[in-house]
Structures are given as C-alpha cells and as structure tokens.
Amino acid sequence: MASKPKKPAAAASSAPKIDIGISEKDRRKVAESLSAFLSDSYTLYLKTHNFHWNVTGPMFNSLHAMFMTQYTEQWTALDEIAERIRALGFTAPGSYAEFVKLSSIKEEESPGGLDWQAMVRQLVSGNEAVCRTARKVIKTGEAAGDDPSVDLATQRLQIHEKYAWMLRSLLE
C-alpha cells in the first residue's frame, strides 16, 4: 500500500485552504493511489530507457526505436501524474527510495544478462502492472468524485494496455 503523501509544510503565507469539492480525506486517498501510480510509471520509464540503451540482437533496430518512443511518451506523463498529486494538495514522491518503496514493479535482472525477448517480457509485465495500478486510481478517484484523476488514469491505462499488446505481439 502506498505511504501517505506528506502535507505541505505550514507556511507563514495566507494561502487559502484547498476547496475543490473533494474532502481532504478523499484527496489524500486519491493522492496515495496516484503516488503508487507515479512510482510504477517511473519505474517502468526507467526500465524502458535502460533497455533502449542495452538491447542487442537481431531485433536491435526495431526495439531500440520502439523503446525510445515509449520512454519518451512515458517521461511526459510522469509530470502530469506528479502535478495532479500537487493539485490535490500533497507532495509527490520524487526519490528513488520513495519509488522503490511504492512501486509494484521490481527490478529483476541487469540488462547485461538479458536477451531482447527477456527485456520485452519484462516490459509487458511492467506495462500490465501500470495498468493494474491505473485501475486502482480510477476506482479511488470515482469514489472521491475526482474526475480529473479518473480521466488521467483512464488515458494512461489505454496507452499502457496498447504498449503491453504491442510488446506481447513480438513474442508470439
């Protein structure tokens, strides 16, 4: 389970309290699920980028290009997820230690010992993990009446389902 997002430190400013139509308790629940989602997304981004650098073999050209397309798109999405957490009033995780703690995607092997098929299998698994986490965000967001978080997770879910399908097709 995701750790609780940290509240912003009390500042001397007179910034108004957040009043966006979602209770603090519900905002916290959504921010927790988004934090896990951000952690899975970042871990998958890093793994995809790593495999882009280290893929070898007869599929090199096509996989090198595919991985670059995917990690570039994933990088942009990370900012959207983190900014949604901030819009809800909480601090987004941003360190390797936090990502490792919150992510459901674990490192399996260094890429030096993997062939292209093992890399593709890990990325299928990673994209599917992100899909499962996105579905949790959707459920939590729907329960809180948080349409922007539901929309964000739904868009990301569609992209990661497509990536998983495309990668899985390479192994058939």
Side-chain angles (χ1 to χ4, degrees):
M1 175 160 183
S3 65
K4 294 192 182 229
K6 298 174 198 129
K7 282 187 182 181
S13 75
S14 60
K17 289 185 131 192
I18 296 173
D19 184 13
I20 59 173
I22 304 171
S23 71
E24 181 177 351
K25 179 182 174 186
D26 285 343
R27 286 187 291 109
R28 178 178 297 280
K29 287 179 185 176
V30 174
E32 287 173 1
S33 67
L34 285 167
S35 292
F37 185 52
L38 177 62
S39 298
D40 277 355
S41 298
Y42 189 88
T43 302
L44 179 61
Y45 155 78
L46 193 59
K47 186 175 281 206
T48 305
H49 206 153
N50 184 0
F51 290 170
H52 163 80
W53 289 329
N54 291 295
V55 68
T56 60
M59 296 291 292
F60 172 80
N61 283 329
S62 59
L63 289 177
H64 187 74
M66 177 188 262
F67 295 166
M68 184 168 73
T69 299
Q70 290 182 5
Y71 80 69
T72 301
E73 188 280 330
Q74 291 166 1
W75 177 254
T76 302
L78 295 171
D79 201 49
E80 294 174 23
I81 300 165
E83 287 179 354
R84 184 65 198 149
I85 295 167
R86 296 295 298 135
L88 291 170
F90 298 94
T91 303
S95 70
Y96 291 122
E98 289 174 296
F99 290 144
V100 167
K101 181 179 176 186
L102 296 173
S103 181
S104 69
I105 301 170
K106 304 303 175 204
E107 291 298 318
E108 296 172 38
E109 290 185 47
S110 78
L114 298 177
D115 64 16
W116 70 267
Q117 291 170 320
M119 289 178 179
V120 169
R121 275 193 285 283
Q122 281 194 31
L123 294 180
V124 168
S125 178
N127 276 283
E128 289 175 345
V130 171
C131 289
R132 291 188 299 273
T133 307
R135 290 183 194 286
K136 291 176 185 176
V137 171
I138 292 167
K139 286 181 182 179
T140 305
E142 285 174 341
D146 183 356
D147 295 334
S149 293
V150 170
D151 183 56
L152 173 62
T154 300
Q155 289 179 41
R156 298 304 312 156
L157 174 60
Q158 184 176 7
I159 289 165
H160 288 286
E161 284 180 345
K162 181 178 178 180
Y163 286 170
W165 156 66
M166 293 171 81
L167 291 160
R168 191 180 306 103
S169 294
L170 292 168
L171 299 171
E172 291 179 353

